[in-house]
Amino acid sequence: MKNVEGPPYVPGHALLAGRSAVITAAAGAGIGGATARRFLEEGARVLISDAHARRLEAYRTELAEEFGEASVAALPCDVTDESQVRALFDTAVREHGRLDVVVNNAGLGGTSELVDMTDEQWSRVLDVTLNGTFRCTRAALRLMRDTGGGVVVNNASVVGWRAQAGQAHYAAAKAGVMALTRCAAVEAAAHGVRVNAVSPSLAMHPHLAKVTSAPLLEELTAREAFGRYAEPWEVANVIVFLASGYSSYMTGEVVSVSSQHA
């Protein structure tokens, strides 16, 4: 698929200097991996997690060689397992002393018409995408309410707003992430914690190319006003903004990262 040339990469500006962050589903070339890199470029220390231990360690090594061993740690985590989620957040505090930012990026997609969808397909997508975000948000808020501040950024999707055939389970999960974001934000505000979400339309990465047909990708790309899909780092830039002090008066918001035609 041809991609129209995008903008030049934006350098870091120390927007997250001194911050400690947890980023889920951060192994590889997708939004999570791009977010980890952008956070490091902005001066943060990160703990990255993923269900794929080998890929996670490979990416941690790559980042550590570039940004230093003290800046990046990794721990495998299946967000459908509460004990693993607890271990992830305990490790964040142990490794970096505190927790300032959590990026809930873990999600699972798939394509199936509703009439053919099995209970297992439905439940699996919701457990990773919605329940996983719930578990990690809950763990984050329990820590942040005691330290008097912090930021949670969830990864939703425009599919949570807009219908797409074959995506009932994913759309329901992402709409749930949006509602969870708004409710959590109201509860967390009294503790100085902000909770927002990004809602990307089409950010290209290798995994998406593997699980989505070429005709569908062409159709989705044609909907974008720029005539191209987003690079993962372009979504990560908005996550950086929401994690930084530049968005200090924003909470409960879902920010669309999209150039789709109305």
Side-chain angles (χ1 to χ4, degrees), residues 6 38 85-86 145 151 180 197 219 235 237 248:
R38 293 299 289 143
V85 170
R86 289 183 181 180
R145 70 183 178 185
V151 179
L180 171 65
E219 176 188 341
V235 180
N237 283 348
S248 60

Side-chain angles (χ1 to χ4, degrees), residues 56-126:
L56 178 67
E57 179 55 28
Y59 195 51
R60 186 209 66 82
T61 299
E62 177 185 332
L63 293 175
E65 288 175 351
E66 185 171 351
F67 297 98
E69 288 285 344
S71 295
V72 55
L75 185 71
C77 179
D78 177 350
V79 297
T80 69
D81 185 325
E82 174 62 16
S83 65
Q84 293 189 38
V85 170
R86 289 183 181 180
L88 176 65
F89 284 84
D90 288 344
T91 299
V93 175
R94 183 171 64 252
E95 289 285 336
H96 296 145
R98 59 179 289 117
L99 179 63
D100 300 301
V101 182
V102 171
V103 179
N104 288 315
N105 178 64
L108 180 68
T111 301
S112 177
E113 293 289 329
L114 188 62
V115 294
D116 299 319
M117 190 178 296
T118 66
D119 284 5
E120 192 281 330
Q121 286 176 303
W122 173 271
S123 297
R124 178 62 178 165
V125 168
L126 263 73

Side-chain angles (χ1 to χ4, degrees), residues 27-39:
I31 292 173
T35 300
R37 177 173 292 279
R38 293 299 289 143
F39 270 46

Side-chain angles (χ1 to χ4, degrees), residues 140-141 144-145 147-152 184-185 187-195 251:
L141 295 184
M144 291 174 175
R145 70 183 178 185
T147 57
V151 179
V152 177
E187 295 181 11
H191 304 286
V193 179
R194 298 188 295 111
V195 186
T251 197

Side-chain angles (χ1 to χ4, degrees), residues 2-28:
K2 184 178 179 181
N3 187 20
V4 178
E5 185 177 354
Y9 194 79
V10 179
H13 292 82
L15 296 182
L16 302 175
R19 304 283 183 88
S20 168
V22 167
I23 304 168
T24 64

